[in-house]
Amino acid sequence: MSASPTPASGQVRMNPPVFYFSATFILLFGIIVIAMPEQAGAWLLAAQNWAANTVGWYYMLAMTLYLVFVVVTALSGYGKIKLGADHDEPEFSYLSWAGMLFAAGISITLFFFCVSEPLTHLAQPPQGEAGTADAARQAMQILFLHWGLHGWGVFAFVGMALAYFAYRHNLPLALRSALYPLIGKRINGPIGYAVDGFGIIATVFGLGADMGFGVLHLNSGLDYLFGIAHTQWIQVGLITLMMGAAIIVAVSGVDKGVRVMSDINMLLACALLLFVLFAGPTQHLLNTLIQNIGDYLGALPMKSFDLYAYDKPSDWLGGWTVFYWAWWIAWSPFVGLFIARISRGRTIREFVFGVLLIPLGFTLAWMSIFGNSAIDQVLNHGMSALGMSAVDNPSMTLYLLLETYPWSKTVIAVTVFISFVFFVTSADSGTVVLSTLSAKGGNPDEDGPKWLRVFWGAMTALVTSALLFSGSIDALKSAVVLTSLPFSMILLLMMWGLHKAFYLESQKQIAQLHSLAPVSGSRRGGWRQRLSQAVHFPSRDEVYRFLDTTVRPGIEEVSAVFVEKGLNVVTQPDPTNDSVSLEIGHGEEHPFIYQVQMRGYFTPSFARGGMGSKELNNRRYYRAEVHLSEGSQDYDLVGYTKEQIINDILDQYERHLQFLHLVR
């Protein structure tokens, strides 16, 4: 499946078809909404109602399919496949990786919805009587559904697809690469570019919704602390200020300091969570947390398909569950790219369960502790005003809850600060991801050009401001539901492509078990020479000479014969002379790739002891290892003759032909 045995090279640059398609759509949308805010708001709301009534079932089914797909894949034999070559090791330790996944689960929207959503469901439940204990229990069940496994399932799916095709098959770190098993090299044509374009559009509107909720939340905090009024122009000013800060961070290379601030911010967020837990009704909050988890897991299969089809028709499903599913889908390229980049070398199984469970634990704990604290105030302490605020002014609700705690002014000020930093870091990361999705060239781990970061930051600010002017929260929700619809269908195609790629990989592993050629003869010099070679640990220069005098001539000879047979042969020079490679194309079929690469290792302790020299204790030795398209085969060619190397190439090539036979 790989296009080449090495990652893409060349300078990172703008991808014109993807950029112009997505930028034109977003710019036209922003201009229309700003020019006609009231009409646009009415159109968006009508369109959302249409979507909820017409394709609400589709969103419910699609999100469940994404979750089931990643869980079944992780539990199957495919779970052992690495997101990278077989010899790749994870870049980060488990602890560091878990910490970064934990950070991915924290967003400014946690502050907006952790209190306002459960109180809204308590006051306006989709089923049953409002304001009762049953309504409270149902409210938390719905809250956990919206922030639970389904959302992280789509993140895990997109991250898995991006990492698998980029790091294992050396395709671009782009959404279109997941369609390679379905359309082949046409991913670098109109179809593939349209896929990336729709992904960017969905991401911009998903980020716009996040920024919009964040600005409303921050405006309420500033209003509470300093009396800064709730007006659209104040909110536009806040968007401009914070997006400007995010753009400066994104292009100036000073994000190391912001990352340190973000780490401190996460500690403050955890401290805030513990403060609410221990300064409030601790025993009650711990009891409800455990019960909420049980209610959620017990009702998960039913709630995954619950469309309230037998109830009186209402706008509840479209305004909540359908919106959430569309929002998670819109965010999936953003978060998926982040978790893909930090997960190279992980197996699919550890990747999926890490992504599903590590951020989820913190998110559900946060929602349960804040949500049950608010419900307790409304049901048991007569704070009906808090419940009314959740419906009428949701962005202020968290601050009204914190007002009931000790040191409320200080706690609220810290909450505003935490929210501000989360806003800036999310916007910074969002502009970098959007620039990467609209760029091409370079290595998979390279970010897009800086000017693209500035552009996408401005576009996201434009969309957020336009939607706030056209109807505030309802307009944000409507735009996300509509723009996520085409991308959700693309994700289903990506699922098909990923499943096909996994099947092809399993067939290749079966083909590798077939020994289709006689075993190569013994190495030169008989068994004594073979024994000497086994306990010899070559230097870098020795392996260089071996590559130059034995491997390269062998590959050149066999390449010449392949060319005579009319096959498309590509030999790729390596400027460092550390490797020699051969690629044989088969049209639309998977190419055969054979690469001999020099790799260094520390000499084993038993061998160092036999050297009799302390100076050689840290000496490295080198191997000429065979790599196929899926990575290192973990065997060394040093000591082989040219004829034996040619035989090995033919052995591997015949196995590749067997693989092509199995998958046709």
Side-chain angles (χ1 to χ4, degrees):
M1 180 180 299
S2 302
S4 66
T6 54
S9 59
Q11 187 177 9
V12 182
R13 59 197 183 281
M14 182 253 287
N15 190 343
V18 174
F19 174 78
Y20 289 122
F21 167 64
S22 53
T24 300
F25 178 90
I26 293 166
L27 189 60
L28 287 175
F29 178 91
I31 292 172
I32 291 172
V33 172
I34 289 174
M36 300 180 294
E38 294 184 3
Q39 298 95 317
W43 293 337
L44 287 170
L45 188 58
Q48 186 192 10
N49 291 334
W50 169 86
N53 295 328
T54 307
V55 295
W57 64 269
Y58 161 76
Y59 270 113
M60 300 289 285
L61 182 60
M63 284 294 286
T64 303
L65 285 175
Y66 305 145
L67 176 60
V68 170
F69 179 81
V70 295
V71 172
V72 170
T73 299
L75 293 175
S76 71
Y78 300 145
K80 295 182 289 186
I81 297 173
K82 276 193 174 183
L83 298 175
D86 288 337
H87 61 275
D88 279 347
E89 294 298 326
E91 181 181 357
F92 304 101
S93 68
Y94 274 109
L95 188 60
S96 297
W97 184 62
M100 286 184 280
L101 290 178
F102 170 81
I106 301 179
S107 164
I108 192 172
T109 48
L110 288 179
F111 293 83
F112 187 95
F113 286 103
C114 65
V115 174
S116 63
E117 183 178 348
L119 289 182
T120 301
H121 298 328
L122 177 67
Q124 300 174 347
Q127 293 175 318
E129 184 181 351
T132 64
D134 287 340
R137 191 170 179 178
Q138 179 185 210
M140 294 307 300
Q141 192 179 77
I142 293 170
L143 183 68
F144 272 39
L145 175 72
H146 291 164
W147 291 87
L149 287 169
H150 283 80
W152 287 100
V154 72
F155 286 176
F157 167 64
V158 174
M160 178 172 66
L162 288 169
Y164 176 79
F165 287 103
Y167 300 139
R168 191 161 182 86
H169 293 294
N170 300 309
L171 292 168
L173 188 65
L175 299 166
R176 66 181 185 274
S177 295
L179 301 186
Y180 188 88
L182 305 180
I183 62 175
K185 295 180 180 178
R186 284 177 290 173
I187 62 168
N188 294 317
I191 298 175
Y193 294 144
V195 166
D196 284 349
F198 280 116
I200 289 173
I201 291 169
T203 303
V204 167
F205 282 89
L207 283 171
D210 185 76
M211 299 298 105
F213 290 126
V215 163
L216 293 173
H217 170 74
L218 284 169
N219 196 171
S220 293
L222 295 174
D223 184 13
Y224 186 94
L225 292 172
F226 308 112
I228 298 178
H230 269 263
T231 69
Q232 291 175 327
W233 287 111
I234 291 291
Q235 291 159 12
V236 170
L238 287 172
I239 292 171
T240 304
L241 173 66
M242 288 182 289
M243 187 58 77
I247 291 173
I248 290 172
V249 170
V251 301
S252 64
V254 298
D255 60 341
K256 183 177 180 181
V258 175
R259 296 303 167 205
V260 172
M261 185 181 294
S262 181
D263 292 340
I264 297 172
N265 214 37
M266 283 187 287
L267 294 176
L268 289 174
C270 293
L272 178 62
L273 179 66
L274 294 174
F275 171 77
V276 173
L277 172 63
F278 291 112
T282 307
Q283 189 64 41
H284 173 71
L285 295 179
L286 293 175
N287 289 339
T288 52
L289 172 60
I290 301 303
Q291 183 162 327
N292 293 157
I293 293 173
D295 287 346
Y296 167 61
L297 295 177
L300 183 61
M302 180 190 72
K303 282 296 182 183
S304 297
F305 301 97
D306 194 353
L307 290 160
Y308 307 99
Y310 293 98
D311 296 329
K312 183 179 178 181
S314 72
D315 297 332
W316 187 93
L317 187 71
W320 286 104
T321 305
V322 172
F323 158 69
Y324 265 109
W325 290 171
W327 196 15
W328 284 104
I329 289 170
W331 261 70
S332 60
F334 171 34
V335 180
L337 184 63
F338 169 74
I339 60 179
R341 282 188 164 183
I342 65 173
S343 302
R344 184 171 189 161
R346 300 278 172 196
T347 64
I348 286 175
R349 184 170 295 128
E350 62 184 328
F351 172 84
V352 167
F353 289 116
V355 172
L356 284 182
L357 300 179
I358 293 172
L360 181 70
F362 176 82
T363 302
L364 296 188
W366 180 280
M367 289 298 184
S368 180
I369 289 170
F370 278 94
N372 284 301
S373 297
I375 289 173
D376 178 64
Q377 291 288 342
V378 173
L379 292 184
N380 301 323
H381 296 86
M383 282 197 63
S384 58
L386 182 63
M388 293 174 59
S389 172
V391 177
D392 299 331
N393 188 13
S395 60
M396 183 63 78
T397 313
L398 173 61
Y399 302 115
L400 295 180
L401 172 66
L402 294 176
E403 190 178 45
T404 65
Y405 280 77
W407 313 301
S408 58
K409 285 283 187 181
T410 302
V411 172
I412 290 172
V414 170
T415 302
V416 172
F417 172 77
I418 295 172
S419 303
F420 174 80
V421 177
F422 278 141
F423 188 109
V424 172
T425 53
S426 294
D428 164 36
S429 303
T431 58
V432 172
V433 167
L434 287 167
S435 71
T436 302
L437 292 174
S438 56
K440 63 180 180 179
N443 294 316
D445 293 328
E446 289 187 71
D447 296 323
K450 291 181 178 180
W451 73 267
L452 276 177
R453 304 176 203 179
V454 176
F455 177 84
W456 288 120
M459 284 297 99
T460 305
L462 173 68
V463 166
T464 305
S465 302
L467 291 173
L468 287 175
F469 266 89
S470 64
S472 192
I473 292 177
D474 289 336
L476 290 170
K477 290 183 174 182
S478 301
V480 170
V481 171
L482 294 175
T483 54
S484 294
L485 185 59
F487 185 61
S488 69
M489 299 174 186
I490 290 171
L491 291 184
L492 294 176
L493 291 176
M494 291 171 61
M495 185 187 302
W496 182 16
L498 198 55
H499 173 72
K500 186 174 181 180
F502 290 155
Y503 169 75
L504 293 176
E505 178 141 347
S506 69
Q507 294 303 302
K508 178 171 284 191
Q509 291 173 355
I510 293 172
Q512 290 293 327
L513 299 176
H514 289 73
S515 181
L516 302 177
V519 178
S520 303
S522 61
R523 301 188 189 186
R524 64 165 77 98
W527 69 269
R528 294 181 184 276
Q529 178 63 27
R530 182 176 178 182
L531 177 60
S532 298
Q533 187 67 41
V535 295
H536 176 59
F537 299 91
S539 67
R540 188 182 187 94
D541 289 341
E542 288 179 81
V543 179
Y544 265 135
R545 287 194 297 271
F546 175 72
L547 290 176
D548 194 50
T549 61
T550 306
V551 177
R552 187 170 283 106
I555 287 181
E556 288 173 352
E557 283 190 26
V558 91
S559 298
V561 177
F562 277 126
V563 171
E564 289 176 7
K565 300 297 182 182
L567 294 172
N568 179 26
V569 178
V570 178
T571 55
Q572 298 194 353
D574 176 23
T576 64
N577 293 320
D578 282 349
S579 68
V580 186
S581 63
L582 165 69
E583 179 180 335
I584 301 174
H586 297 93
E588 290 297 318
E589 304 285 357
H590 301 279
F592 169 70
I593 295 170
Y594 185 95
Q595 182 184 66
V596 183
Q597 183 173 324
M598 181 166 64
R599 299 189 69 194
Y601 301 88
F602 285 111
T603 307
S605 57
F606 73 88
R608 292 199 301 267
M611 290 176 184
S613 173
K614 293 182 179 179
E615 290 78 8
L616 296 179
N617 278 352
N618 291 323
R619 180 182 184 273
R620 291 172 67 86
Y621 76 101
Y622 292 82
R623 288 159 48 104
E625 292 186 358
V626 173
H627 289 234
L628 303 179
S629 61
E630 60 272 19
S632 174
Q633 301 304 293
D634 294 321
Y635 66 90
D636 182 20
L637 292 182
V638 173
Y640 279 51
T641 65
K642 182 177 69 174
E643 289 71 22
Q644 289 168 339
I645 291 171
I646 291 174
N647 278 330
D648 188 63
I649 295 172
L650 296 179
D651 285 349
Q652 296 291 1
Y653 182 66
E654 287 181 319
R655 292 189 178 101
H656 183 76
L657 293 180
Q658 173 69 6
F659 158 67
L660 295 181
H661 164 72
L662 289 173
V663 301
R664 288 183 63 82

